[in-house]
Amino acid sequence: MGGTRISDCFAPGSDPADQEALGLTLLPAVRDLAAEADADPNGPAALRLGFLIGAVRRGAARGGVYAELQRRLEQELVGVDTGSPGYASGERAGRAHG
């Protein structure tokens, strides 16, 4: 394992084009995972989605310019059981390590 944490992609003062590219990368991933998590709230997609959203929240907390991206990604959670054990566990892990 290794690489860049998702939250590290949320650099304060980043270029608007970088912000847009980040959104264009994350939105399809969140959409796909949300559809899978909606269909199976106890499946692996719920854990992955929770981690991704937790990491986004961790990164967005670094600067206000990402609040809109966070809001937009969280809109995709409609229908997802964010109280499921998998999602909740993933979200905690994403906030801590994402």
Side-chain angles (χ1 to χ4, degrees):
M1 301 259 250
T4 302
R5 291 182 186 195
I6 295 166
S7 60
D8 288 344
C9 296
F10 291 74
S14 67
D15 182 280
D18 292 337
Q19 295 171 27
E20 183 178 0
L22 182 59
L24 291 171
T25 300
L26 294 177
L27 185 58
V30 169
R31 278 188 183 147
D32 291 347
L33 289 170
E36 291 180 46
D38 185 31
D40 184 6
N42 296 312
L47 178 71
R48 291 184 191 118
L49 177 62
F51 185 90
L52 181 54
I53 294 296
V56 165
R57 289 174 177 160
R58 175 186 171 118
R62 294 182 180 167
V65 297
Y66 292 103
E68 177 60 22
L69 175 57
Q70 178 183 341
R71 184 197 65 77
R72 178 63 192 94
L73 295 174
E74 288 176 349
Q75 283 181 322
E76 297 299 320
L77 299 179
V78 172
V80 173
D81 181 3
T82 57
S84 73
Y87 179 90
S89 176
E91 200 272 337
R92 283 190 304 274
R95 279 188 189 252
H97 306 290

